[in-house]
Amino acid sequence: LFSQPPTLLQNGSLSFTVAPGLFGIAHFMFSASDDGGVDRSGVDRFGPLSLTVTVAPLNNQPSFVLQTPVFHVLEGAGQVFEVGFAANVTNGLPNEDCLVARVGCEAQTRTFIIEYVDRAGLFARLPTIDPA
């Protein structure tokens, strides 16, 4: 979960770095000690105390690649169906790319949106990409 594990600093601050793309729960035990020794019934250690860090998943952006950024068809071609036109289609990280929600994976519905068409009149029906 961490690219830099949790550390308690001398001033009592907690420091850690969450690794990208990971989530879950981690448990830690911390104690404190000094160099005062244990002579005359001294105590040089306190703890341990437990810490639980929960790293929650977030929604990462979906992604895809167009196999052919320039597509040629003949006038009057009618309906065109191109298998594999969009490739490497994901909902984000692997925990977002399951068909049915389960522990560690959140099912998401993917849709493709046409953001802009400069000559919509060329089409009897605007192009679509099947999200499956």
Side-chain angles (χ1 to χ4, degrees):
L1 290 180
F2 305 97
S3 56
Q4 177 190 359
T7 304
L8 279 175
L9 305 176
Q10 291 294 323
N11 66 4
S13 298
L14 175 66
S15 173
F16 60 86
T17 303
V18 177
L22 298 179
F23 62 94
I25 299 173
H27 303 281
F28 298 88
M29 300 293 281
F30 288 99
S31 61
S33 65
D34 60 31
D35 60 2
V38 292
D39 293 344
R40 297 181 304 282
S41 299
V43 178
D44 66 354
R45 185 172 215 87
F46 174 78
L49 297 176
S50 66
L51 168 69
T52 300
V53 176
T54 301
V55 179
L58 59 87
N59 185 28
N60 293 278
Q61 70 181 14
S63 65
F64 66 98
V65 175
L66 295 181
Q67 294 290 70
T68 309
V70 177
F71 197 81
H72 297 277
V73 296
L74 296 174
E75 175 185 349
Q79 183 176 5
V80 175
F81 185 81
E82 181 70 20
V83 176
F85 179 72
N88 301 325
V89 180
T90 70
N91 282 341
L93 294 176
N95 68 296
E96 300 170 88
D97 235 357
C98 53
L99 297 176
V100 177
R102 63 181 188 282
V103 174
C105 194
E106 299 177 20
Q108 297 183 7
T109 301
R110 175 177 46 239
T111 58
F112 289 96
I113 303 157
I114 294 178
E115 297 285 340
Y116 171 76
V117 178
D118 67 348
R119 296 186 63 196
L122 288 175
F123 303 94
R125 194 181 93 202
L126 288 177
T128 60
I129 298 176
D130 183 350

